[in-house]
Amino acid sequence: MSSGRRVLVIEDNLLNLELVSGVLESCRCDVITARTAEEGLDLAETMHPDLVLLDIRLPGMSGEAAISIIRSDPRLRGLPVIAVTAQVMQGDEAAALQAGFDAFLSKPIDTRRLRDLVDVHLRVRTPR
């Protein structure tokens, strides 16, 4: 049974996409997936997700460029977006938060941390 909460996952790696989708489905979320930032932005505008998990390194448009577009669009500006990345050098999390992401999740993905972040950010977002 679904909670009615929609989570958009923008991830180009199929294994990571499947892992994240499985965790979200176990949390009773409706999962929407995109393999590119461009596709994800289109889905964010049309599907009205409650939360986005956005890979920073994507083919074509990067996650950093996508978050900039999200934060400048009045329709999407308040949408919580979690950065998901294998880029975990010192300062990367701070840079992601400075760029406009609400949280940072490193790869390999810790499924417990993923659940905690999703819970926090879906609880903060008011229901439709």
Side-chain angles (χ1 to χ4, degrees), residues 11-76:
E11 169 66 64
D12 64 317
N13 180 290
L14 188 56
L15 291 176
N16 287 331
L17 187 63
E18 289 174 357
L19 172 66
V20 170
S21 295
V23 170
L24 293 170
E25 288 167 358
S26 76
C27 296
R28 299 181 19 233
C29 294
D30 294 326
V31 180
I32 307 160
T33 62
R35 301 288 298 275
T36 67
E38 295 87 351
E39 180 187 9
L41 290 170
D42 288 342
L43 287 170
E45 290 180 4
T46 59
M47 300 297 293
H48 310 288
D50 298 295
L51 174 65
V52 176
L53 276 71
L54 175 57
D55 187 8
I56 290 180
R57 297 287 170 243
L58 292 164
M61 181 189 300
S62 70
E64 289 103 337
I67 193 66
S68 177
I69 291 169
I70 289 168
R71 294 301 178 233
S72 66
D73 185 329
R75 298 165 296 172
L76 301 175

